Amino acid sequence: SQQGEEDPQALSIQEGENATMNCSYKTSINNLQWYRQNSGRGLVHLILIRSNEREKHSGRLRVTLDTSKKSSSLLITASRAADTASYFCATDAKSKGSTLGRLYFGRGTQLTVWP
Amino acid sequence: DAGVIQSPRHEVTEMGQEVTLRCKPISGHDYLFWYRQTMMRGLELLIYFNNNVPIDDSGMPEDRFSAKMPNASFSTLKIQPSEPRDSAVYFCASSPSTGSRDTQYFGPGTRLTVL
């Protein structure tokens, strides 16, 4: 499977702490994305990092990508209770003409931030 | 922009009944995706379209499932006959063909319960 796999499956922290989630994948990619899903809602795109990038920031989010290890991490700094959600990584399929346009999602990390 | 619109938001039906889920993608987006999400299997891609043409339907569970996209602003996912194991949240997503092509925009989902 080309799906990304997030680790850990669940993470519970206190407000103000940093949250780190990891993603591993199996095949070559053009880019990797992170999505967030609040309970009962659809997924929302957070950030995209391309295969030639190593690190990217967006507000309190920091994403790293190591293509040699086929892994990525999402760091949320100074977490808030409102960050409680499931976080998914998604990869595209490089050089897969028949599947161009689709993404491969992992199972997600459930983050709980306690006030 | 109103985002991806799905209807109904909730559907409860009895086994054997036909179910039709509807999706209106974001205007101008060329890709449309149908996903199913369950606790057991996570987020599964069922089928996706590019310019109204089905590109990959390998995720469609069986012949009871069918999807159509008669025009650029409307798609349906039909289950006939429905079974209890079809109970899940079904998401529609769309993405543009240029620019942020790789980013998918999800609808709020349809929660289907088959009794």
Side-chain angles (χ1 to χ4, degrees):
Chain A
S1 168
Q2 293 174 271
Q3 278 186 329
E5 294 184 5
E6 293 88 348
D7 171 63
Q9 289 187 4
L11 181 61
S12 186
I13 59 175
Q14 294 289 132
E15 258 189 332
E17 295 180 341
N18 295 341
T20 299
M21 290 159 272
N22 303 296
C23 170
S24 59
Y25 57 92
K26 296 181 180 178
T27 63
S28 296
I29 61 172
N30 292 306
N31 62 65
L32 183 144
Q33 303 179 49
W34 285 90
Y35 286 77
R36 163 184 164 147
Q37 183 180 31
N38 287 76
S39 180
R41 303 287 187 92
L43 280 71
V44 175
H45 176 259
L46 291 176
I47 193 167
L48 179 152
I49 186 166
R50 302 209 176 274
S51 60
N52 61 353
E53 297 176 309
R54 292 296 167 258
E55 187 171 313
K56 201 163 184 179
H57 296 256
S58 177
R60 294 184 295 112
L61 304 181
R62 173 179 166 247
V63 171
T64 62
L65 179 63
D66 187 335
T67 53
S68 66
K69 295 181 179 178
K70 292 186 169 58
S71 67
S72 173
S73 67
L74 171 67
L75 168 68
I76 304 175
T77 60
S79 63
R80 305 167 182 167
D83 294 328
T84 295
S86 291
Y87 292 83
F88 295 83
C89 69
T91 56
D92 66 348
K94 193 171 186 179
S95 302
K96 294 284 187 180
S98 65
T99 60
L100 191 65
R102 72 166 291 177
L103 295 177
Y104 297 85
F105 285 87
R107 297 296 300 268
T109 292
Q110 172 60 51
L111 172 66
T112 302
V113 181
W114 298 98
Chain B
D1 197 320
V4 175
I5 299 172
Q6 289 187 248
S7 65
R9 291 295 309 278
H10 301 273
E11 177 81 32
V12 180
T13 190
E14 293 188 342
M15 183 174 63
Q17 296 298 306
E18 177 180 296
V19 175
T20 300
L21 310 181
R22 297 174 176 79
C23 175
K24 176 178 169 56
I26 294 173
S27 177
H29 283 192
D30 293 341
Y31 286 88
L32 184 139
F33 306 82
W34 281 102
Y35 291 91
R36 177 173 69 175
Q37 187 177 40
T38 62
M39 288 293 291
M40 290 294 292
R41 302 175 68 92
L43 192 67
E44 302 174 275
L45 177 66
L46 300 177
I47 185 171
Y48 77 101
F49 297 82
N50 180 217
N51 291 322
N52 313 337
V53 175
I55 302 300
D56 184 354
D57 65 355
S58 60
M60 296 287 260
E62 47 198 273
D63 292 345
R64 297 184 297 106
F65 286 68
S66 63
K68 294 181 179 179
M69 192 164 186
N71 57 63
S73 59
F74 184 66
S75 177
T76 60
L77 178 67
K78 186 174 294 186
I79 308 173
Q80 166 63 21
S82 58
E83 296 182 3
R85 60 190 168 130
D86 301 330
S87 296
V89 181
Y90 291 81
F91 289 102
C92 176
S94 69
S95 68
S97 60
T98 58
S100 58
R101 180 186 68 186
D102 300 314
T103 297
Q104 293 185 13
Y105 298 80
F106 282 73
T110 295
R111 182 173 295 277
L112 174 64
T113 302
V114 183
L115 304 175

